[in-house]
Amino acid sequence: MNITERRISTTVLVIGTGGSGLRAAIELAEQGVSVLAVGKRPRIDTHTSLAAGGINAALGTMDAEDSWQQHAADTIKESYGLANPHTAQIVAKGAAQGIADLERYGMAFAREDDGRISQRFFGAHTYRRTAFAGDYTGLEIQRSLVNRAAQLDVPILDSLYITRILVRDGVVFGAYGFDLADGTPHLIHADAVILAAGGHNRIWRRTSSRRDENTGDSFRLAVEAGARLRDPELVQFHPSGIIEPENAAGTLISEAARGEGGILRNGLGERFMKNYDPERMELSTRDRVALAAYTEITEGRGTANGGVWLDVSHLPRETIMTRLPRVYQTMLELQMLDITAEPIEIAPTAHYSMGGVWVRPEDHSTEVAGLYAIGEASSGLHGANRLGGNSLIELLVFGRIVGRAAAEYSAGLETQRRSRDAEAQARHEISELLAADGPENVRALQRAVRNTMTEHAGVARDEAGLLTGLRELDEITERTDKVGIHPDIAGFGDLAHAFDLKASLIAARATLEAARERRETRGCHNRSDYPDLDPALQVNLVWSPTDGVVREEIPPVPDEIAELMVDVSADGKLVE
């Protein structure tokens, strides 16, 4: 490349400017530590801003008997025994501080008449512990964090794509990337790197993520730096993503639509949930409703477009306009559909990566010295089914903890040793792709990955399908050697898509190989050839390209939490 390389030095580099990345950057700035945050999306439009439901903390504002121990117990129970108990404890215990931090940053929570933060039932919670701001909770959190970061003068580069974390002898010393607008290469030296670049649900055809986010970037950057992935096969499929238009397929219809009394019907007009969960019907858990809809569709009882119907038109118009305003507006804008009069066509959609980069529970450090992972990029909290509202509080709790841990790690370094070879390799990787002029189209190959994952590793999986998926991935990987990259007047998006493709291939392989190893049905992971839960598989599956999948024991649940893990009543709740 002929463009002059830009060189930057900072104490800590944060990759990703969503909720977890900004919270870590704020903590570092408040501690007086030099930090740089970089993202490939505008900071106000990160994935966090899409989160609607709410954020959990056992504040006891509505139910005084709630406790952090009960929050941890509910989290572990919903995880089907795969959550790390230590991680669950840390989040549940630190949640109230997370909410207090948001209040300090000016977050406008919904409140009761007497000024208490309002909390509602969400997911399989024993008590009301989900705080919220209308159905725009994630967006309000993101705005609050962006404003606080601005007050602290945290430097943020919005259109910087990181291509490689720089490592020497198993120790991080920075990262390399390029500007999406003009292609300027960036060499960033840093004592520590915090990876907060999301999950991998964009590698399915129908997903709640936007086009160029959650393509598995965190997974690739971590693995190529020498870290490992934990439970990549555990992906939550949301029951209700829209089917049309094509460019918005997977956009979520909030589960509040079912919570307010929405009815699910198949293509024959039958209310099918009575066959899957006759007691809870549409208020069943997210994994059950998704599997039910998937089964109706695959067994030929779906709509002509391969979906099912979600109908709220029988509800009073006032209820829809006051309780489901975002759903009403979204369907009007995307399909000119009036949900007060007509049903919504939906299908299960890939929604959340419950696995991610392997990290230690106490500080989310990886096996690469100086490298940390947080948010959807990390693993340990959610197991095989995420408790609704836990994803947002996780960002706040571990953003704070990891910011402090990275600062402490940097303060303990005597020297920072760099590697010219690692820097040269990162430069070469970009220049080689820019010189690529083959016949293969990067976008077409991304679509091929999504088709493979949708066909063979969707809501339900089996051995034959997973093996077919792995064979197809091998073929797609071979074709990547013949891509053509063409930067144009609009910028270097094509180059970014090529790196997104590399990430998707690593994430897809990890997912397929771990899904093969998990020969059972547990939570979100449905093996049609192994329909029962296997107690021997109450383990985490850890993947690396060199060692494949290895089993990792989960620590025992402390007695004070285990005794609280009882079945939660679903009366009057939308079960997540």
Side-chain angles (χ1 to χ4, degrees), residues 271-332:
R271 191 173 178 183
F272 59 84
M273 280 310 297
K274 66 180 186 291
N275 303 323
Y276 299 91
D277 194 341
E279 280 187 36
R280 296 185 292 199
M281 300 286 279
E282 283 83 6
L283 296 182
S284 187
T285 55
R286 190 176 272 185
D287 54 330
R288 278 199 192 186
V289 178
L291 183 59
Y294 173 85
T295 304
E296 293 296 305
I297 295 161
T298 53
E299 291 184 358
R301 296 184 295 278
T303 61
N305 287 327
V308 295
W309 298 109
L310 171 58
D311 193 2
V312 295
S313 63
H314 56 283
L315 299 175
R317 182 180 175 86
E318 186 187 1
T319 300
I320 291 171
M321 303 310 282
T322 56
R323 310 284 290 193
L324 303 169
R326 200 174 187 180
V327 177
Y328 177 82
Q329 194 65 34
T330 298
M331 295 314 298
L332 211 53

Side-chain angles (χ1 to χ4, degrees), residues 163-167 170 172 195 200 216-230 232 356-358 366-368 371-373 377 425 429 502-511 513 542-548:
T163 59
R164 187 166 285 267
I165 291 169
L166 299 172
V167 177
V172 159
L195 196 46
H200 71 314
D217 302 21
S218 298
F219 292 15
R220 179 183 71 83
L221 289 169
V223 165
E224 290 183 350
R228 299 183 298 161
L229 305 179
R230 178 164 48 200
V357 178
W358 185 97
T366 68
E367 292 149 311
V368 182
L371 178 62
Y372 302 81
Q425 186 184 2
E429 189 177 34
K502 284 173 179 260
S504 295
L505 286 165
I506 287 174
R509 185 168 301 281
T511 303
E513 290 184 3
V542 183
W543 181 90
S544 70
T546 47
D547 300 333

Side-chain angles (χ1 to χ4, degrees), residues 515-534:
R516 259 197 87 201
E517 181 73 14
R518 192 170 286 287
R519 293 180 175 90
E520 65 165 352
T521 290
R522 185 186 292 264
C524 68
H525 178 72
N526 297 289
R527 282 288 298 258
S528 55
D529 47 352
Y530 293 94
D532 300 319
L533 187 141
D534 181 354

